[in-house]
Amino acid sequence: FTDNMDTLLNAPNWNQVLITNPEANIPDRFQWNRGGGGGGGGTPPMMTNSDMALCRDFTSRDNDFDAGTGEVNCRFRANRNDSCPHATLTWDHMK
């Protein structure tokens, strides 16, 4: 794990995963996990949609965000057309 925020915000390997809860009163949820931790072991960093929305915009394009499930259909960072754009209102504060 790194405490360098720039490294975390620009990392290409954040992926949204569905966390299923077997308890009937705890809803399933999506969260963001960072893979490729460099082989250091330990628990990889995780963030919620609200964390990620400080640096990425999930709502600027149609169908990027499902408010009912919390699923985000764009990639956190990629060199393709499906990457989530920067959140213009908060990006400079996150760097």
Side-chain angles (χ1 to χ4, degrees), residues 9 12 17 19 24 43 45 48 61 63 65 70 76 79 81 84 89:
L9 294 177
V17 296
I19 304 300
T43 303
T48 64
R61 298 182 304 209
N63 302 318
F65 179 68
F76 180 75
N79 293 326
N81 291 336
C84 303
L89 295 176

Side-chain angles (χ1 to χ4, degrees), residues 5-16 32-34 47-49 51-58 61 72-80 82-86 91:
M5 186 58 74
D6 191 53
T7 298
L8 288 175
L9 294 177
N10 288 302
N13 49 358
W14 283 101
N15 296 298
Q16 194 177 51
W32 294 83
N33 292 345
R34 182 168 182 227
M47 292 193 190
T48 64
N49 279 349
D51 297 323
M52 291 300 198
L54 292 170
C55 57
R56 295 290 186 253
D57 183 355
F58 300 143
R61 298 182 304 209
V72 175
N73 295 314
C74 57
R75 308 251 322 152
F76 180 75
R77 181 169 184 234
N79 293 326
R80 303 185 318 233
D82 64 348
S83 62
C84 303
H86 287 109
W91 177 253

